[in-house]
């Protein structure tokens, strides 16, 4: 069936792009790779709707579909402060950033950058002091710990408010076309538990949550195959693994999730978000997030011990693990195909890797042994001074970020009604996101700038097809 579709596309494309006697024309057959539109094999979903990130993968059993539905409900429901008559969903706070998972990941999508005067909506600020704690994590800030909670239940102080201003940076391509970037500058106000001046900060927006189960099922060697920490091959791209504290295994293991690859498993990533973002305890993080001297927080009634049960946590983990990745759109367009070739030519593919294969998933058997095209190596890379937050995170330096998967990126505007990218949403378009790249990506960015306007647009079209 796929070959039949490809043949039709080949004929259609050549009708519009090939002319006899033209030795330079490029055909669909030259550029299309069999099955490239299927980023997760047969488990992708064909959707271009606002709910494109909300479908389960094919092949779940009847019981698993029930677990997916329950997890979906838990993901979207608002939690409330304790005590409450709704005991299955109380325990919010006492301080927090969001009332639900969907409060940051609306429709399983991406959060928005900070807006002054508004409570965060998919945005948070990590903080720390220099050095590391006993587990290799960032050193907490006295009175606040490692994340600012800008909201709180009634009768409890929120921790602080975060503000942002933008510096406009103007630039030009070699062909004369101009561009404008906006550099965010953050500050704090209304600090309730002491000054935050001079601390280390790391602003972060919530990422889309599709495909997470495939990442969880990747054996370590599928990620470590791309490690080249000291750039032994001399291509200017290193790739470094982050090793982080695994709460369940009580040891250090490979980091896979988050902007700095600072979470080792999907379960810990989700339990950490429940704890840090919503103030909900679980069996993984059982202590209330109330650092001294937050006494009103410490004295507040809790919603149980833990507030989210293991059963609830496992349902959310299952839901997140089995969210399908949309198949690509417009993959047959000549502009997209040429953009793919240019994407490879200027070595974006050096970090945005494809063709890793999952192993055995402990969450859902349907995820076993699937070859995926995430367009990520899930490793840390030096992204240069302009993107640096200068806040270490386990082995990640203040300049290093995890390569983010690009699958689904072209649907963010449909799902979330915005196109803000990078770790704090500073890039307003894919083009701006590329232009912010530096460090190990400096050569690729400069090669992008050297392309013609048409060729740059082809790369953007390709990324939007993912």
């Amino acid at each position: 069936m796929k070959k039949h579709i490809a043949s039709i596309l080949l004929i259609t494309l050549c009708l519009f792009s090939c002319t006899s006697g033209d030795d330079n024309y490029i055909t669909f057959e030259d550029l299309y790779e069999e099955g490239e539109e299927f980023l997760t094999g047969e488990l992708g979903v064909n959707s271009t709707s606002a709910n494109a990130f909300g479908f389960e993968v094919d092949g779940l059993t009847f019981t698993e579909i029930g677990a997916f539905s329950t997890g979906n409900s838990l993901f979207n429901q608002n939690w409330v402060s304790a005590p409450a008559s709704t005991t299955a969903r109380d325990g919010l706070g006492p301080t927090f950033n969001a009332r639900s998972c969907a409060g940051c990941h609306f429709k399983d999508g991406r959060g928005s950058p900070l807006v002054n005067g508004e409570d965060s909506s998919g945005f948070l600020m990590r903080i720390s002091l220099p050095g590391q704690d006993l587990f290799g994590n960032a050193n907490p800030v006295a009175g606040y710990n490692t994340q600012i909670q800008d909201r709180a239940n009634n009768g409890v102080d929120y921790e602080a408010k975060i503000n942002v201003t933008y510096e406009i940076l103007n630039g030009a391509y070699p062909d004369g076309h101009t561009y404008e970037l906006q550099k965010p500058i953050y500050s704090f106000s209304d600090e309730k538990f002491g000054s935050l001046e001079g601390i280390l900060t790391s602003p972060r927006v919530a990422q889309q949550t599709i495909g997470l189960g495939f990442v969880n099922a990747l054996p370590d060697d599928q990620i470590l195959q791309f490690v080249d920490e000291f750039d032994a091959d001399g291509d200017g791209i290193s790739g470094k693994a982050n090793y982080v504290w695994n709460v369940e295994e009580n040891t250090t293991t490979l980091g896979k999730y988050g902007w700095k690859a600072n979470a080792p498993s999907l379960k810990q990533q989700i339990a950490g978000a429940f704890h840090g973002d919503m103030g909900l305890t679980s069996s993984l993080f059982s202590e209330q997030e109330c650092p001294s001297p937050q006494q009103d927080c410490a004295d507040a009634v809790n919603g149980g011990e833990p507030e989210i049960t293991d059963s609830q946590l496992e349902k959310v983990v299952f839901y997140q693990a089995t969210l399908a990745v949309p198949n690509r759109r417009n993959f047959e367009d000549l502009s997209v195909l040429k953009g793919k070739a240019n994407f490879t030519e200027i070595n974006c593919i050096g970090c945005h890797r494809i063709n890793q294969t999952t192993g055995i998933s402990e969450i859902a058997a349907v995820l076993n042994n699937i070859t995926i095209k995430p367009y990520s190596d899930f490793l840390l890379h030096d992204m240069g001074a302009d993107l640096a937050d200068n806040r270490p995170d386990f082995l990640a330096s203040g300049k290093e970020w995890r390569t983010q998967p690009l699958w689904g990126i072209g649907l963010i505007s449909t799902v979330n009604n915005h196109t803000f990218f990078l770790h704090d949403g500073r890039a307003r378009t894919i083009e701006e996101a590329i232009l912010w790249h530096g460090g190990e990506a400096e050569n690729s960015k400069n090669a992008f700038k050297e392309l013609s306007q048409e060729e740059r647009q082809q790369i953007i079209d390709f990324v939007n097809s993912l």
Side-chain angles (χ1 to χ4, degrees), residues 293-324:
Q294 297 188 28
Q295 197 58 47
D296 288 340
C297 176
D299 293 341
V301 177
N302 68 43
E305 296 180 354
E307 290 163 330
I308 178 167
T309 66
D310 282 349
S311 176
Q312 289 173 316
L313 179 58
E314 287 171 7
K315 296 292 194 307
V316 177
V317 170
F318 187 86
Y319 167 70
Q320 289 280 272
T322 52
L323 279 176

Side-chain angles (χ1 to χ4, degrees), residues 208-274:
Q208 62 268 36
T209 63
I210 53 172
L212 300 180
F214 297 99
V215 182
N216 197 74
L218 283 178
D220 287 0
D221 62 8
Q222 289 295 298
I223 296 175
L224 298 177
Q225 66 177 311
F226 302 120
V227 168
D228 184 18
E229 185 170 350
F230 303 104
D231 192 22
D233 63 6
D235 68 350
I237 295 175
S238 59
K240 172 181 159 186
N242 201 1
Y243 286 92
V244 305
W245 187 251
N246 187 314
V247 174
E248 277 197 296
E249 299 184 14
N250 202 33
T251 189
T252 297
T253 59
L254 179 66
K256 291 183 172 181
Y257 293 97
W259 286 105
K260 298 261 188 180
N262 65 353
S265 68
L266 182 56
K267 184 176 182 181
Q268 185 165 323
Q269 171 73 11
I270 292 172
F274 272 121

Side-chain angles (χ1 to χ4, degrees), residues 13 16-18 22 24-33 36 328 330-346 348 448 451-452 454-463 465:
L13 186 61
F16 291 98
S17 63
C18 306
D22 182 354
N24 296 318
Y25 70 75
I26 297 175
T27 70
F28 176 90
E29 191 173 45
D30 291 330
L31 297 173
Y32 175 76
E33 299 165 77
E36 69 175 61
R328 288 176 55 197
N330 308 320
F331 58 92
E332 72 278 17
D333 289 356
L334 190 57
S335 177
V336 170
L337 288 166
K338 288 182 175 178
K340 181 188 70 171
N342 288 331
F343 184 88
T344 299
E345 178 65 25
I346 66 174
C348 302
F448 174 80
L451 297 174
S452 68
E454 181 183 17
E455 290 169 325
R456 294 195 296 270
Q457 186 59 49
Q458 289 167 353
I459 288 183
I460 294 168
D461 290 344
F462 165 67
V463 174
S465 80

